[in-house]
Amino acid sequence: MSMQQGSKPGKQGAASPGSSKLVFAIVWASSLFIGAVLGSSAWLLFGSHTRQRPEESAKIVQVPEPRPAPEATIDTTHTPEPTPPVVASPTPAQTLAGMVSVEGGEVIFGGEGTGMPVRREQVGAFDIAETEVTNEQYREFVVATGRKPPQGWNGQEFPSGTAAVPVTGVSWHDAVAYCEWLSRKTGTKVELPTEAEWERAARGRENYKYPWGNEWNERAVQAESQVRPVKSFPENKSPFGAYDMAGSVWEWVADQARDHLGRPKSQHGVALRIIKGGSAEEEQLFISNSARHERLASMPNNTLGFRYIVRRPKEAS
């Protein structure tokens, strides 16, 4: 078959360059359009169902952070006083030197040789001076108070070498004045013992005839001798530990003498007071726990002294 004149050689149906560009542009535009359509459809289909409204969103509970506890305020302007420890109150035997404790109980005294009927008396617990008041102890009282010294002293000085000898030559009033002075000095009430208290301290629970027992003991005291320093005879010691309660010097007690009807006795307007125990210058017959005598309260003697006691409160007995 012959070719028509005027036609150019080439492949049949091939597109020209201009038409190719046009096709590409159309395809690209179509892709953009399709992509936009698909994106909108996806948003319509899914976006509207998954997106939450603000009021439907989960509410967040705001938990406040814990505040630190306020620091303890220390008051530096006031220091609390420490609580004082509980301390047991001392007994008079611990407060005053040279005291021994005597427990309370019944005292049976009087009877034969005393000029008094047998008596029974209940006494409370107390503390008693271990010995009679000595010259050295009494001198302190004389110096402090200006009290008239006993006979035989050189002014306010006792005879040399007699510091530990029981003071003698003192009246009942002198003995009471000494107790009152010692009470003020120590803050503890000091007194003369009653006759019953004196005998309780001398006799003990056993109600001995002598401080050391019921039999005479030459080693405990020397009768018809001279007054010695206190504790010269260690065996002359009562069951409660008081020395020289018989056979050293007579001792004033608080009691006023009474007649058989119980009436107080006096002479010339001066009370008669009781003295106890006998002295080293007496015969053996007059040295015992029951030995007693009546004497004017104002009349001292060179074989007459005293010792004192401190009574305990009833709850401490």
Side-chain angles (χ1 to χ4, degrees), residues 25-279:
I26 293 170
V27 172
W28 180 75
S30 299
S31 297
L32 291 177
F33 175 76
I34 293 170
V37 171
L38 291 175
S40 299
S41 300
W43 182 86
L44 292 172
L45 291 172
F46 304 104
S48 60
H49 296 288
T50 59
R51 185 177 180 181
Q52 294 178 328
R53 296 177 182 178
E55 62 273 13
E56 295 176 353
S57 62
K59 294 182 180 180
I60 300 176
V61 179
Q62 296 292 333
V63 179
E65 295 183 4
R67 296 181 180 179
E71 295 183 0
T73 302
I74 301 176
D75 183 3
T76 59
T77 63
H78 174 69
T79 303
E81 296 183 2
T83 302
V86 177
V87 180
S89 299
T91 65
Q94 296 169 326
T95 304
L96 291 168
M99 303 285 285
V100 294
S101 297
V102 179
E103 66 182 33
E106 185 182 56
V107 184
I108 304 172
F109 61 111
E112 185 179 355
T114 66
M116 296 293 294
V118 174
R119 291 179 289 168
R120 294 175 179 268
E121 188 171 329
Q122 193 77 21
V123 299
F126 59 94
D127 295 275
I128 191 167
E130 191 177 30
T131 70
E132 299 103 339
V133 174
T134 64
N135 282 328
E136 185 175 32
Q137 291 172 318
Y138 196 79
R139 178 184 178 276
E140 185 182 359
F141 160 66
V142 169
V143 171
T145 64
R147 190 87 177 181
K148 182 181 177 180
Q151 290 182 346
W153 285 33
N154 182 13
Q156 294 181 335
E157 296 298 326
F158 49 79
S160 177
T162 65
V165 173
V167 66
T168 58
V170 293
S171 68
W172 182 87
H173 300 292
D174 291 331
V176 170
Y178 178 91
C179 291
E180 292 173 348
W181 166 78
L182 189 59
S183 297
R184 293 191 299 271
K185 177 185 175 184
T186 62
T188 301
K189 189 172 179 58
V190 175
E191 301 174 272
L192 292 178
T194 64
E195 185 174 8
E197 288 168 333
W198 190 96
E199 291 222 13
R200 176 66 175 176
R203 292 178 178 277
R205 307 178 195 88
E206 297 81 2
N207 202 39
Y208 285 148
K209 180 178 181 179
Y210 306 103
W212 55 85
N214 288 321
E215 301 297 328
W216 179 258
N217 184 350
E218 289 286 352
R219 295 187 304 274
V221 63
Q222 291 181 352
E224 300 182 80
S225 179
Q226 63 180 12
V227 177
R228 308 286 183 87
V230 297
K231 298 184 181 180
S232 290
F233 301 94
E235 293 186 45
N236 190 350
K237 185 178 181 180
S238 81
F240 291 115
Y243 287 88
D244 308 319
M245 295 199 76
S248 176
V249 296
W250 288 96
E251 298 182 18
W252 290 110
V253 294
D255 303 57
Q256 185 170 352
R258 296 180 179 274
D259 63 19
H260 66 285
L261 296 177
R263 295 174 299 192
K265 295 172 67 175
S266 62
Q267 288 182 3
H268 312 295
V270 180
L272 284 167
R273 297 285 173 175
I274 301 300
I275 59 176
K276 294 289 297 179
S279 78

